[in-house]
């Protein structure tokens, strides 16, 4: 028994989950079998439901993940929700180790008056909606607004600003969800105001993404040169951070170009030292936004504070998108750090509230380190956790509690009425989506609703012609 392959469940089939699976397969000392358990029918997590539709090259990474999924030592078990269809406790009856790769699905609040008003939404919602995430398929997002505020200046804020600014004819060549495309075709948006609470050298977005804003047809990026004045602490940041220097150069270019620009087309205004302080509303609906100008105080140790300068103004916007970072949700039965908003862990080993290691449980990706880093960051991060998995399994050996039958978990799920979706079934959905897209000159037309996907699996011929 002790020589049997180690069986590992990876919960979540996004980038972190796939990199964890790939790292597990690399083990030459001991054979391993990996089940990728995913709550959706489609794999790839944020690559499918987070990466902007007009960034198709980034999505090519799914080819790497597909190779992992097709490895005979790996099984994809889709349509299985941890905590609903199977508990963490039950998983221990089928696996020697569990790796949580559940990501960060929720958003953070600004904590200012008016956030409950109609017209205010999170980037998590907007991005998932335009990418055809099944949970957000039935949202009715109104784009009948001329002015929209996007709070934050990370890459998600830039993605949101770009999708709102881009011409719908360009978006019509992408895999954007059909429901979002039809709303964007009728969009009234003319002015998108991106609000960065700190200065230009502290913008979190990467230079490539920032620069792209300036290359959109019919779009002017407006920057106030006053926002680009530097103070001595900025010089230190510019020296330490190459992205900051590049961003500054791009912003100076925007400021120069926008100075003489006309009023045609759409505008993306990048405001620095700007924090929303109140979302103004009437009868439950957003009608404007009060924004304060900040002064940034940086201490010698690099910590910083924002102080109100006393200057305030009202922006003419009736929609606001918070793009201030994602957060993980607690997973039932798994220790959660409510301050850092992630699965409590010590370098990838799950720990309980008293700091004790929870045997045979691990975490990778955003649920481990918080919502930071690019897709590739997860590769290194997953490999680091998998070193612990391997060490611990080497020491503990296979769990004596594990059902010797590898199909035991599938029976467990099916007995509970779960229709487990296997990778070959996803591949069929994938082919159908691509075939639907070919007819429209698009990379794919996504299935959005879960039922629609299940129907397509039951009757693929019908789905192809629809
Ligand atoms: P992020 O990079 O952490 O940016 C969050 C932004 O929100 C920052 O500008 C932050 O300002 C601001 N913010 C936070 N709390 C705020 C508050 N209370 N009020 C006002 N502003 C606030 O997060 P993200 O944009 O969600 O991106 C998450 C990760 O995904 C990042 O690593 C990003 O690079 C990656 N990503 C990459 C791509 C791409 O490669 N194309 C696309 C999307 C996302 P401070 O800096 O002042 O805290």
């Amino acid at each position: 028994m002790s020589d049997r392959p180690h069986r590992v469940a990876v919960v979540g089939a996004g980038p972190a989950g796939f990199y964890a699976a790939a790292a597990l397969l690399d083990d030459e000392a001991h054979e391993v079998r990996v089940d990728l358990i995913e709550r959706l029918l489609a794999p790839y997590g944020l690559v499918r439901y987070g990466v902007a539709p007009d960034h198709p090259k980034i999505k090519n990474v799914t080819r790497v993940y597909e190779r992992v999924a097709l490895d005979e030592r790996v099984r994809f078990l889709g349509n299985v929700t941890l905590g609903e269809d199977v508990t963490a406790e039950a998983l221990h009856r089928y696996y020697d180790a569990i790796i949580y790769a559940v990501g960060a699905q929720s958003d953070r609040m600004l904590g200012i008056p008016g956030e409950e008003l109609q017209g205010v939404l999170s980037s998590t919602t907007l991005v998932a909606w335009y990418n055809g995430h099944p949970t957000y398929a039935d949202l009715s997002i109104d784009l009948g607004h001329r002015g929209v505020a996007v709070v934050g200046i990370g890459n998600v804020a830039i993605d949101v600003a770009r999708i709102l600014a881009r011409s719908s004819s360009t978006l019509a060549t992408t895999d954007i969800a059909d429901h979002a495309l039809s709303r964007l075709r009728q969009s009234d948006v003319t002015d998108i105001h991106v609000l960065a609470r700190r200065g230009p050298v502290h913008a979190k977005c990467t230079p490539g993404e920032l620069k792209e804003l300036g290359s959109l047809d019919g779009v002017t990026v407006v920057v106030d040169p006053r926002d680009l004045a530097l103070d001595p602490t900025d010089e230190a940041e510019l020296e330490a951070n190459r992205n900051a220097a590049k961003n500054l150069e791009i912003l100076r270019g925007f400021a120069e170009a926008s100075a003489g620009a006309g009023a045609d087309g759409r505008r993306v205004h990048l405001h620095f030292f700007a924090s929303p302080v109140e979302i103004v509303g009437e009868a439950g609906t957003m009608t404007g936004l009060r924004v304060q100008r900040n002064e940034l105080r940086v201490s010698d140790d690099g910590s910083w504070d924002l102080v109100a300068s006393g200057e305030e103004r009202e922006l003419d916007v009736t929609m606001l998108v918070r793009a201030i970072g994602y957060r993980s949700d607690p997973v039932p039965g798994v220790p959660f750090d409510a301050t850092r908003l992630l699965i409590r862990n010590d370098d990838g080993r799950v720990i309980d509230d008293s700091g004790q290691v929870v045997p045979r449980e691990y975490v990778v990706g955003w649920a481990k380190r918080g919502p930071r880093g690019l897709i590739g960051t997860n590769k290194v991060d997953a490999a680091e956790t998998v070193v612990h998995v391997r060490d611990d399994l080497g020491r503990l050996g296979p769990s004596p509690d594990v059902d010797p039958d590898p199909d035991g978990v599938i029976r467990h799920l099916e007995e509970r009425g779960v229709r487990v979706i296997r990778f070959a079934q996803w591949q069929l959905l994938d082919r159908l989506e691509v075939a639907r897209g070919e007819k429209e000159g698009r990379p794919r037309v996504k299935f959005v609703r879960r039922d629609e996907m299940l129907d397509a699996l039951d009757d693929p011929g019908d789905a192809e012609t629809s």
Side-chain angles (χ1 to χ4, degrees):
M1 270 304 275
S2 65
D3 277 346
R4 70 161 170 77
H6 289 149
R7 297 231 298 272
V8 183
V10 175
V11 182
F18 271 101
Y19 287 123
L24 287 162
L25 297 181
D26 266 350
D27 191 352
E28 284 170 9
H30 202 104
E31 259 196 86
V32 68
R33 297 285 182 275
V34 181
D35 282 352
L36 273 163
I37 296 176
E38 166 59 49
R39 94 189 144 104
L40 299 177
L41 277 73
Y44 309 141
L46 276 185
V47 177
R48 179 174 165 95
Y49 294 119
V51 171
D54 57 343
H55 279 173
K57 282 196 189 134
I58 300 180
K59 299 183 195 217
N60 288 341
V61 71
T62 57
R63 293 192 198 133
V64 176
Y65 305 155
E66 193 175 45
R67 273 203 298 279
V68 174
L70 291 173
D71 188 294
E72 58 187 15
R73 295 166 292 173
V74 175
R75 298 189 298 191
F76 173 77
L77 308 181
N79 199 28
V80 177
T81 302
L82 179 66
E84 279 176 31
D85 299 324
V86 65
T87 61
E89 196 190 350
L91 285 182
H92 283 289
R93 298 206 294 272
Y94 303 102
Y95 300 100
D96 300 303
I98 305 167
I99 303 180
Y100 301 108
V102 293
Q105 310 77 12
S106 295
D107 65 290
R108 296 190 301 119
M109 302 287 282
L110 286 163
I112 59 171
E115 246 173 313
E116 73 295 346
L117 293 169
Q118 200 165 342
V120 180
L121 71 162
S122 71
S123 55
T124 335
T125 302
L126 188 68
V127 169
W129 171 76
Y130 65 58
N131 279 322
H133 190 296
T135 307
Y136 301 88
D138 294 317
L139 274 187
S140 170
I141 292 196
D142 175 16
L143 296 175
H145 306 271
R146 290 176 64 79
V148 179
V150 180
V151 185
I153 193 160
N155 279 335
V156 171
I158 300 294
D159 277 354
V160 165
R162 192 181 65 254
I163 294 295
L164 292 173
R166 252 208 205 287
S167 74
S168 55
S169 56
T170 305
L171 292 172
T173 63
T174 73
D175 67 1
I176 193 165
D178 276 350
H179 56 242
L181 183 59
S182 61
R183 282 293 159 102
L184 284 156
R185 280 196 165 118
Q186 292 156 24
S187 162
D188 290 332
V189 174
T190 56
D191 290 85
I192 300 143
H193 297 266
V194 176
L195 304 181
R197 61 181 172 179
R198 296 192 281 159
V201 306
H202 298 105
K204 290 252 175 74
C205 57
T206 39
E209 277 60 30
L210 185 62
K211 192 169 177 192
E212 187 184 5
L213 273 184
S215 66
L216 307 182
D217 275 347
V219 176
T220 306
V221 185
V222 183
V223 177
D224 181 347
R226 178 173 83 131
D227 282 358
L228 304 184
L230 300 182
D231 75 20
T233 61
D234 290 337
E235 300 293 350
E237 182 68 25
L238 286 171
E239 270 186 29
N241 180 348
R242 282 184 58 206
N243 276 355
K246 286 188 192 159
N247 279 347
L248 185 65
E249 195 185 316
I250 295 162
L251 290 166
R252 283 182 176 145
F254 288 158
E256 211 172 298
S258 60
D264 290 347
R266 287 182 173 141
R267 286 159 296 276
V268 177
H269 309 258
L270 304 180
H271 304 272
F272 292 93
F273 305 104
S275 281
V277 284
E278 186 190 353
I279 304 167
V280 185
E282 221 180 274
T285 299
M286 173 174 178
T287 55
L289 183 68
R290 268 198 321 115
V291 177
Q292 115 190 335
R293 188 167 176 89
N294 301 319
E295 278 168 11
L296 180 70
R297 307 260 162 91
V298 183
S299 308
D300 289 344
D301 65 1
S303 61
W304 52 271
D305 261 328
L306 294 175
V307 183
S309 70
E311 187 182 326
E312 266 193 24
R313 61 175 170 145
E314 188 156 330
L315 273 186
D316 185 14
V317 291
T318 49
M319 175 175 169
L320 178 144
V321 185
R322 288 186 299 266
I324 60 170
Y326 290 69
R327 52 156 290 181
S328 293
D329 289 327
V331 179
V334 184
F336 190 72
D337 183 333
T339 312
R340 297 182 63 211
L341 301 173
L342 39 78
I343 292 181
R344 198 179 282 282
N345 74 95
D346 178 10
D347 197 31
R349 284 186 175 103
V350 175
I351 54 172
D352 64 19
D353 294 350
S354 61
Q356 296 295 310
V357 168
V358 178
R360 301 180 186 275
E361 294 196 18
Y362 304 86
V363 59
V364 291
W366 279 5
K368 167 186 171 186
R369 65 177 196 276
R372 287 187 309 277
L374 306 178
I375 291 170
T377 314
N378 293 300
K379 191 172 176 179
V380 182
D381 170 286
E384 283 168 3
T385 293
V386 166
V387 168
H388 296 313
V389 180
R390 211 170 275 156
D391 286 353
D392 295 352
L393 286 179
R395 208 179 53 254
L396 297 170
S399 164
D401 305 329
V402 163
D403 181 345
D405 179 0
D407 289 333
V409 66
I410 296 175
R411 265 199 310 280
H412 174 97
L413 290 163
E414 286 175 350
E415 277 162 20
R416 280 156 185 79
V418 180
R419 181 168 170 187
V420 180
I421 299 299
R422 305 300 295 270
F423 200 69
Q425 291 171 294
W426 154 251
Q427 285 181 300
L428 172 58
L429 291 172
D430 184 34
R431 282 197 299 276
L432 290 170
E433 286 189 345
V434 171
R436 291 168 8 142
E438 267 166 13
K439 293 183 205 152
E440 298 182 19
R442 301 171 62 185
R444 69 177 64 236
V445 172
K446 283 183 181 177
F447 291 113
V448 172
R449 288 180 180 75
R450 189 175 162 274
D451 290 351
E452 187 187 20
M453 288 175 146
L454 292 173
D455 289 349
L457 287 173
D458 291 337
D459 200 344
D462 213 29
E464 205 163 355
T465 48
S466 70

